[in-house]
């Protein structure tokens, strides 16, 4: 990418989260990821560069080791003309969800992260004849806390995602509670996985998006987005699944297409790849908590019918869901056990701020840092080093919870 010849008209809004905003190039298979900050919080250009570079280093030294090279794209930090960034910010402002506009795109440093656009394929010739589909899923946390530090009994029965659904609907972020439960998706049981994926399709919120040849065809930005239309989605997908059969249209066609889509996604999620380096994560103790979330509509329906919920069938060790769950389960203490450790680190740094570098608070995220994360000990020796290792793990657990598939 030639940073010296940048035209904002060649880029379009792709999406954003709490901390970053992404734009995609209209022709080339690349995206730019910019950091976002509240209007009253500014950082120096050097701080922005170091922040982005730490993301790249973390991907290379930590996440590639955990998940394997096939599943991690680290990108590179690029410096862009400030005029281009400012004009781009003005161009895309009207496309941003109102709920996300409390933070502004960084237009002062000129730094961004350049990554491949996985919603498009650049080198495949069959793209001209059949649509290229990309399904983006944020699976969220796939287990119920089993830490002895948990004091709220409900947290031993209901997963974090299902609890937060009630909060988000009550505060107006979403219109209705989703029937999706992460534990159903992570169960490995196809019946439960199918229900979870159909629930995501019914109420996608910001946890599922579908792109066709790089263009978003399904998904919503916020509570003001229109209700998802399965018939419109089926219209887009029919040539992919049924290019030449007699399904003309109507409810039967829609159900058939959605059913086939769910089956394909399930098959992909349960498949593994033997190419490249496998993830090097050493499995920790298996989940000792419940394998079923009591708030899952799937499980509640079966209980009303007097049936038992199908247990986990077990995820194949080579599949991405298994790898993601293993990273999430590096959190052995839950937030209730981790917060006192976080306060310990915070108080120590207030007294000895020069120790940030020695403790690798801001990196470098190298092999030594990675080895610290592999420490599975739970016996607190009272040191700052112990506390920092566990607090770091919580951050990487939440990184894994947000991974797209």
């Amino acid at each position: 990418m030639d940073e010296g010849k940048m035209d904002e008209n060649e880029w379009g809004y792709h999406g954003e989260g709490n901390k970053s905003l992404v734009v995609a190039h209209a022709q080339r298979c690349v995206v730019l990821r910019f950091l976002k900050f509240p209007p009253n919080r500014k950082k120096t250009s050097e701080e922005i560069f170091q922040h982005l570079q730490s993301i790249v280093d973390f991907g290379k030294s930590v996440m590639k080791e955990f998940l394997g090279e096939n599943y991690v794209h680290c990108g590179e930090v690029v410096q862009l003309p400030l005029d281009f960034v400012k004009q781009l910010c003005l161009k895309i402002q009207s496309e941003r969800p109102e709920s996300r506009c409390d933070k502004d795109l960084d237009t002062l440093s000129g730094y961004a992260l350049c990554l491949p656009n996985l919603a498009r394929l650049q080198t495949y010739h069959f793209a001209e004849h059949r649509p290229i589909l990309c399904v983006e899923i944020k699976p969220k946390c796939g287990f119920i806390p089993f830490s002895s530090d948990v004091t709220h009994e409900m947290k031993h029965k209901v997963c974090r995602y299902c609890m937060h659904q009630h909060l988000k609907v009550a505060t107006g972020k979403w219109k209705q509670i989703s029937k999706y439960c992460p534990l159903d998706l992570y169960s490995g049981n196809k019946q439960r996985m199918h229900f979870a994926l159909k629930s995501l399709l019914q109420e996608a919120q910001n946890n599922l998006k579908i792109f066709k040849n790089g263009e978003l065809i399904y998904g919503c930005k916020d509570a003001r987005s229109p209700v998802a239309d399965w018939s419109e989605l089926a219209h887009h997908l029919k040539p992919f699944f049924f290019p030449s059969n007699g399904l003309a249209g109507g409810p039967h066609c829609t159900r058939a297409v959605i059913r086939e889509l769910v089956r394909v996604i399930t098959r992909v999620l349960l498949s593994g790849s033997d190419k490249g380096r496998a993830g090097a994560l050493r499995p920790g103790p298996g989940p000792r908590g419940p394998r079923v979330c009591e708030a899952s509509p799937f499980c509640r329906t079966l209980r009303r019918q007097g049936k038992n919920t199908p247990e986990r069938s077990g995820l194949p060790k080579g599949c991405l869901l298994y790898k993601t769950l293993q990273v999430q389960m590096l959190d052995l203490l839950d937030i209730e056990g981790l917060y006192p450790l976080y306060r310990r680190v915070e108080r120590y740094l207030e007294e000895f701020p020069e120790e940030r570098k020695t403790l690798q608070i801001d990196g470098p995220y190298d092999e030594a840092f990675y080895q610290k994360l592999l420490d599975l000990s739970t016996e607190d020796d009272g040191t700052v080093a112990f506390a920092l290792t566990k607090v770091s793990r919580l951050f990487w657990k939440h990184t894994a919870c947000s991974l797209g598939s």
Side-chain angles (χ1 to χ4, degrees):
M1 185 172 67
D2 187 354
E3 292 87 351
K5 299 178 181 179
M6 302 294 290
D7 183 353
E8 68 274 7
N9 295 312
E10 296 178 350
W11 298 83
Y13 179 85
H14 186 78
E16 63 186 295
N18 185 44
K19 294 185 178 181
S20 60
L21 181 149
V22 177
V23 295
H25 194 273
Q27 301 298 328
R28 300 196 300 272
C29 295
V30 293
V31 298
L32 294 172
R33 175 182 173 187
F34 294 91
L35 295 179
K36 303 191 316 182
F37 299 101
N40 60 347
R41 183 183 175 188
K42 304 298 180 183
K43 288 197 174 186
T44 66
S45 295
E46 180 61 24
E47 288 175 324
I48 298 292
F49 173 80
Q50 291 297 336
H51 187 141
L52 291 171
Q53 189 59 50
S54 70
I55 294 174
V56 174
D57 294 341
F58 171 70
K60 290 179 178 178
S61 300
V62 179
M63 293 312 293
K64 275 193 175 183
E65 294 295 328
F66 282 160
L67 300 177
E69 290 184 348
N70 286 348
Y71 298 118
V72 180
H73 296 271
C74 302
E76 63 174 340
V77 181
V78 294
Q79 188 169 23
L80 306 164
L82 291 181
D83 185 60
F84 161 76
V85 178
K86 292 175 182 177
Q87 292 301 318
L88 178 65
C89 181
L90 293 174
K91 176 179 181 288
I92 66 173
Q93 185 61 34
S94 62
E95 300 181 61
R96 298 181 60 194
E98 184 179 341
S99 60
R100 294 293 189 185
C101 290
D102 58 330
K103 294 182 180 180
D104 299 328
L105 182 149
D106 165 40
T107 59
L108 300 178
S109 73
Y111 288 112
L113 196 58
C114 183
L115 293 152
N117 184 354
L118 301 181
R120 301 179 62 184
L121 294 178
Q122 188 170 21
T123 58
Y124 290 82
H125 299 295
F126 64 79
E128 299 176 2
H129 307 289
R130 299 190 67 181
I132 301 301
L133 297 181
C134 167
V135 180
E136 177 186 311
I137 298 174
K138 291 172 64 176
K140 312 304 283 186
C141 186
F143 72 98
I144 290 178
F146 50 85
S147 168
S148 59
D149 294 293
V150 172
T151 57
H152 299 279
E153 185 62 26
M154 185 60 67
K155 290 176 67 175
H156 285 303
K157 299 177 180 179
V158 178
C159 75
R160 176 183 174 87
Y161 177 85
C162 289
M163 287 192 286
H164 273 220
Q165 280 293 298
H166 291 272
L167 173 64
K168 291 179 179 180
V169 170
T171 56
K173 182 171 183 179
W174 301 113
K175 293 178 181 177
Q176 61 184 33
I177 292 175
S178 170
K179 295 180 180 180
Y180 170 71
C181 176
L183 268 69
D184 290 331
L185 185 67
Y186 282 96
S187 69
N189 178 281
K190 289 186 179 180
Q191 186 182 6
R192 291 175 65 183
M193 292 181 72
H194 288 177
F195 182 88
L197 290 169
K198 285 181 180 178
S199 298
L200 276 179
L201 286 165
Q202 287 172 336
E203 189 69 27
Q205 297 185 359
N206 63 339
N207 297 311
L208 181 140
K209 294 180 180 179
I210 300 177
F211 299 86
K212 179 181 177 181
N213 294 333
E215 298 295 327
L216 180 67
I217 62 170
Y218 199 77
C220 61
K221 296 178 180 179
D222 56 21
R224 294 175 178 80
S225 299
V227 177
D229 186 346
W230 275 17
S231 60
E232 184 178 348
L233 176 62
H235 173 75
H236 282 288
L237 300 185
K238 182 176 178 293
F240 185 87
F241 293 116
F242 304 104
S244 59
N245 73 2
L247 288 176
H252 177 70
C253 173
T254 298
R255 288 194 297 269
V257 171
I258 296 300
R259 184 166 58 247
E260 192 62 25
L261 173 64
V262 167
R263 287 174 179 170
V264 169
I265 296 175
T266 301
R267 190 157 61 244
V268 171
L269 290 176
L270 292 176
S271 67
S273 172
D274 295 324
K275 298 178 181 179
R277 182 175 58 186
L281 178 63
R282 303 167 193 167
R288 297 188 292 271
R291 305 283 181 97
V292 174
C293 171
E294 291 190 5
S296 164
F298 178 85
C299 303
R300 291 205 310 267
T301 299
L302 288 183
R303 283 199 301 270
R304 284 197 299 267
Q305 296 172 351
K307 301 177 181 178
N308 294 324
T309 302
E311 283 287 343
R312 293 175 183 261
S313 299
L315 292 167
K317 291 188 177 181
C319 76
L320 183 56
L321 279 181
Y322 175 84
K323 295 171 183 285
T324 303
L325 185 60
Q326 288 297 117
V327 176
Q328 293 177 0
M329 290 177 60
L330 286 173
D331 172 20
L332 303 177
L333 303 177
D334 189 66
I335 188 63
E336 293 187 57
L338 283 164
Y339 185 69
L341 301 180
Y342 170 81
R343 291 288 296 133
R344 182 190 303 174
V345 175
E346 189 176 49
R347 287 192 295 268
Y348 182 80
L349 291 177
E350 288 173 354
E351 187 174 356
F352 305 103
E354 69 280 2
E355 288 293 296
R356 287 187 69 92
K357 185 174 182 180
T358 304
L359 294 173
Q360 293 181 274
I361 299 292
D362 306 306
Y365 301 127
D366 51 16
E367 178 65 21
F369 182 86
Y370 169 71
Q371 291 299 328
K372 290 179 183 177
L373 293 180
L374 296 180
D375 178 11
L376 297 176
S377 62
T378 56
E379 185 173 347
D380 188 358
D381 59 5
T383 64
V384 172
F386 173 87
L388 183 60
T389 297
K390 306 310 174 188
V391 171
S392 298
R393 278 178 161 197
L394 178 64
F395 177 79
W396 310 134
K397 170 201 169 184
H398 286 293
T399 299
C401 288
S402 299
L403 285 173
S405 299

